[in-house]
Amino acid sequence: MILEDYIKKLRKNGKITTVSRSISKNLEIAGVLKTLEPEPVLFENVKESEFRVAGNLFCNKMQISDYFGITTEQIIPTLANAIENRSKPEQTENAPCQEVIEEKVDLDKIPILFHNKVDGGPYISSSVVVAADPEYGQNLDFHRAMQFSKDKMVTRIVRGRDFHKFLERNGEVDVAFCIGNTPEVLVAAATSVETGINELEIANALSPIRVTKAKTVDLMIPADCEFVLEGRVVLDEKHDEGPFIDLTETVDVVRQEPIFEVKKITHRKTAIWQGLLPGRSEHKILMGMPREPTVFKKIKDRGIDVRDVYLTPGGASWLHVAVKIKKKNDDDGIQALEAAFAGHKSAKHIWVFDDDIDIYSDEEREWAMATRFQADVDLLIKDPEPGSSLDPSAEPGTKMTTKCGFDCTKVLDSKGKSFSKAKFPEVDLKKFLGD
Ligand SMILES: Cc1cc2nc3c(=O)[nH]c(=O)nc-3n(C[C@H](O)[C@H](O)[C@H](O)COP(=O)(O)O)c2cc1C
């Protein structure tokens, strides 16, 4: 789907705030997005650019499940199914993202947001990067990119990512940074699947998409995105990258990262720039949610009746995991913890809950821990091992950290103790208060 059509739908349902007054891409747009989060916002009058900007579009699981027309609990099976049953997208010659092919590359013309005073420059934070390798074929990743001239950016490429593998093998790689995507492409790009799997086929299995050939590089790109920046990333041509506010909302250090030279810009005629607040909920949900099916599968493979998995926003949607199971054996909770750690190596703390607990509610999770957890038997402390590079408390360099899990499920033999919330009478308020 074209982002503009989705925004029209939000507008019709009164689910988006429109800012028609003049606003700057420097700090002001980010400030409004942060203040109104998780409400979607469309900025119609950006001081420095002819293009509109939209942000906060997919800040939580509800917004994403609404987009797909499913419930939040159906997200994991839907995503797992799309990863398993990938399908080839339709190809088109008439791509909306190529309605306009800019003669000259001038990044100053597009509203690349300067999010925060501490940032090293304006950043693209929502771009899905398409790259290819002669052996593995195409891959989709997210890579932030900081603008430092009219046609050059520096892009953060974490070691171990598929794109980094491509760069190490080839030295320089043609790319297409695609901005302005809907959740099938965003979520597919954020999955970490086997190298060689083209995530555009996962996107197509989530909801049919169209692809088109990029103009100057040999890549197939999502045809319905808003902007495409085509060019080349060279591993050994480096520039300062950062500072930047990353997933944990702390400031990431300045590193020497590869330069992305932009050679062609294409876009829709009435293109909308997709803003994404670094470190905030949209960044978190896109980072964490695609890991949930992997954790789910690992627990299921142990023979445990797992019902749902949620990488909680308070844990930066990366370091903390809440798991819901239907307990059948006394050790299901501890077993589920072990399996969940195997499914997400960056997890530091994991909680397992019974199926009567709403794992999306902070209060319910805390209540279950308060009333069902005993540290001497329900706590799993692992030997130190490498965790997430994003955790400031992990040992710098080695990422060594101590992981622990909390089995917050009730014992199967309750020995007369009450573990369920008492029910209050249900009344029809109209009977006592009137209409
Ligand atoms: C919004 C967002 C921004 C991200 N930014 C970066 C980034 O700047 N650099 C990076 O290496 N990974 C970044 N990531 C993470 C990876 O792109 C992501 O985990 C991806 O699934 C890795 O795919 P791969 O396994 O195909 O390499 C980001 C993820 C999201 C959702």
Side-chain angles (χ1 to χ4, degrees):
M1 189 192 275
I2 292 179
L3 204 61
E4 173 132 40
D5 289 344
Y6 178 68
I7 288 169
K8 276 186 193 148
K9 201 169 142 194
L10 288 179
R11 214 175 214 172
K12 204 170 136 213
N13 298 327
K15 287 186 171 171
I16 189 163
T17 297
T18 304
V19 176
S20 39
R21 291 190 192 177
S22 171
I23 188 160
S24 174
K25 74 183 181 85
N26 298 318
L27 306 174
E28 289 181 352
I29 288 183
V32 172
L33 286 175
K34 166 71 174 64
T35 310
L36 292 180
E37 189 186 22
E39 191 168 321
V41 191
L42 175 68
F43 301 92
E44 291 186 319
N45 189 356
V46 181
K47 260 183 210 154
E48 300 85 358
S49 175
E50 65 180 274
F51 298 106
R52 294 165 296 162
V53 174
N56 288 352
L57 295 176
F58 308 105
C59 287
N60 51 49
K61 276 190 149 181
M62 278 60 80
Q63 285 165 326
I64 292 176
S65 57
D66 274 359
Y67 175 84
F68 288 117
I70 57 176
T71 63
T72 45
E73 288 206 348
Q74 285 171 320
I75 291 181
I76 291 178
T78 305
L79 187 49
N81 180 56
I83 293 171
E84 288 282 302
N85 302 298
R86 302 179 294 280
S87 56
K88 278 210 166 15
E90 180 196 327
Q91 197 172 328
T92 178
E93 308 272 291
N94 261 329
C97 69
Q98 293 171 337
E99 280 173 354
V100 179
I101 301 164
E102 293 282 347
E103 287 282 309
K104 243 184 98 197
V105 171
D106 184 357
L107 292 169
D108 289 338
K109 283 191 169 172
I110 50 181
I112 303 177
L113 302 183
F114 186 62
H115 299 100
N116 228 297
K117 273 190 189 144
V118 294
D119 286 352
Y123 262 97
I124 302 181
S125 49
S126 65
S127 58
V128 166
V129 181
V130 185
D133 172 87
E135 187 188 334
Y136 290 113
Q138 279 206 184
N139 181 73
L140 261 57
D141 269 358
F142 275 87
H143 294 281
R144 68 192 188 221
M146 186 185 96
Q147 184 196 348
F148 65 87
S149 82
K150 278 186 185 302
D151 65 347
K152 287 199 180 69
M153 311 194 80
V154 52
T155 182
R156 165 81 173 130
I157 304 160
V158 176
R159 279 74 194 139
R161 298 268 187 264
D162 285 345
F163 182 41
H164 189 257
K165 201 184 282 181
F166 291 5
L167 273 173
E168 277 192 318
R169 288 160 56 87
N170 301 287
E172 45 188 70
V173 176
D174 284 346
V175 289
F177 276 56
C178 305
I179 298 108
N181 291 288
T182 40
E184 53 278 57
V185 174
L186 294 170
V187 172
T191 58
S192 236
V193 285
E194 212 178 297
T195 316
I197 290 180
N198 181 356
E199 284 102 337
L200 283 172
E201 296 183 3
I202 298 178
N204 193 59
L206 281 169
S207 172
I209 60 161
R210 299 181 306 161
V211 293
T212 199
K213 202 169 171 321
K215 289 291 169 193
T216 60
V217 288
D218 188 15
L219 294 168
M220 296 305 287
I221 55 173
D224 291 310
C225 68
E226 301 284 316
F227 289 84
V228 184
L229 314 185
E230 298 178 8
R232 173 165 284 212
V233 174
V234 181
L235 183 61
D236 290 335
E237 283 176 16
K238 304 246 166 107
H239 189 279
D240 278 356
E241 190 274 328
F244 179 78
I245 298 188
D246 210 343
L247 199 65
T248 48
E249 295 175 68
T250 52
V251 182
D252 203 359
V253 294
V254 178
R255 299 181 184 84
Q256 286 286 302
E257 290 287 311
I259 289 174
F260 164 35
E261 189 185 345
V262 185
K263 294 185 176 162
K264 188 53 83 189
I265 299 181
T266 74
H267 56 84
R268 282 200 322 111
K269 262 190 205 129
T270 56
I272 301 176
W273 186 258
Q274 187 168 24
L276 187 146
L277 274 191
R280 296 297 305 171
S281 50
E282 200 170 14
H283 186 181
K284 289 188 163 87
I285 200 82
L286 287 172
M287 191 80 183
M289 204 183 65
R291 301 292 150 139
E292 292 167 0
T294 322
V295 176
F296 190 95
K297 187 170 181 305
K298 285 273 182 202
I299 303 172
K300 196 171 167 215
D301 288 350
R302 286 225 180 176
I304 294 160
D305 188 357
V306 53
R307 299 293 170 98
D308 205 0
V309 173
Y310 181 39
L311 267 66
T312 59
S317 292
W318 197 243
L319 303 174
H320 283 180
V321 184
V323 175
K324 184 197 272 207
I325 63 167
K326 174 116 184 110
K327 188 168 170 177
K328 292 181 180 145
N329 305 296
D330 274 325
D331 68 344
D332 277 1
I334 295 290
Q335 289 288 333
L337 287 171
E338 298 269 13
F341 276 117
H344 181 41
K345 300 277 182 214
S346 295
K348 186 162 80 168
H349 302 133
I350 302 184
W351 289 258
V352 177
F353 301 99
D354 292 301
D355 63 333
D356 62 333
I357 301 299
D358 175 2
I359 60 168
Y360 297 98
S361 157
D362 299 348
E363 195 177 322
E364 284 252 325
R365 292 196 310 265
E366 188 179 344
W367 177 83
M369 182 153 177
T371 58
R372 298 179 181 181
F373 171 80
Q374 282 295 317
D376 59 341
V377 282
D378 297 325
L379 181 66
L380 172 75
I381 302 180
K382 290 166 71 73
D383 290 336
E385 61 176 282
S388 170
S389 60
L390 291 169
D391 174 10
S393 76
E395 199 178 273
T398 64
K399 303 191 290 186
M400 291 301 278
T401 190
T402 303
K403 302 176 177 183
C404 73
F406 309 85
D407 176 5
C408 303
T409 58
K410 50 192 178 197
V411 284
L412 287 178
D413 178 5
S414 64
K415 297 198 175 81
K417 290 179 193 162
S418 169
F419 284 108
S420 300
K421 279 191 185 171
K423 288 240 183 316
F424 282 86
E426 282 180 23
V427 291
D428 177 6
L429 270 187
K430 279 190 212 148
K431 196 172 149 190
F432 306 102
L433 300 175
D435 282 326

